[in-house]
Amino acid sequence: MYTASLTIDNVLPAATVNLQAELTVRELIEAAFVQLQTAAQPDPFVFTIDYYGFDYFQGDTSYLGYFIVSIGIKGGQTYASNANSYWELLVNNTPSDVGMDSRLVKANDQVRLEWYTPPPTTAAKGIGGRVQSVRLRRSR
């Protein structure tokens, strides 16, 4: 058994999550949801994700996987990815080079979902913007 922490900007302060086995970040979010549930608060936060599969770009096929569509507080503010902002995955304060269903969580990892608005020169529309951001991050 080991632990990792999960922080979600504007939604969830750092929460320590107990893990029984090696999980992906997507599974960590789900585990945090379950472990934080109480009788008084059965939905500690709400989230939606979409699956985008694969991308074919300039002769290369790459796996896109899941993107976070929205995260929020039930009955409160919801932060939904759009043409101008999206959820950025950081692990130990470093942007992840893979998506949330490809990144394995290690003992004591600090996982953060940051509500991110890229500079206007790099922002694009909709899913294309998220795909462009992934491509930009991978090219660094």
Side-chain angles (χ1 to χ4, degrees), residues 69-129:
V69 175
S70 66
I71 303 178
I73 300 168
K74 189 170 186 171
Q77 178 71 35
T78 296
Y79 299 88
S81 298
N82 57 50
N84 300 313
S85 302
Y86 59 89
W87 289 99
E88 177 81 20
L89 170 60
L90 298 122
V91 179
N92 301 320
N93 295 316
T94 302
S96 179
D97 58 350
V98 296
M100 68 180 191
D101 57 323
S102 296
R103 176 61 162 88
L104 294 175
V105 178
K106 297 182 180 115
N108 302 313
D109 272 353
Q110 296 176 348
V111 177
R112 180 173 169 219
L113 298 174
E114 176 184 79
W115 184 238
Y116 181 71
T117 302
T121 56
T122 60
K125 302 290 180 198
I127 180 61

Side-chain angles (χ1 to χ4, degrees), residues 40-85:
Q41 190 175 25
D43 295 319
F45 56 92
V46 292
F47 65 100
T48 55
I49 58 176
D50 278 349
Y51 179 70
Y52 287 97
F54 292 86
D55 176 45
Y56 186 75
F57 179 70
Q58 296 181 347
D60 291 320
T61 300
S62 61
Y63 178 67
L64 295 175
Y66 290 88
F67 283 93
I68 298 170
V69 175
S70 66
I71 303 178
I73 300 168
K74 189 170 186 171
Q77 178 71 35
T78 296
Y79 299 88
S81 298
N82 57 50
N84 300 313
S85 302

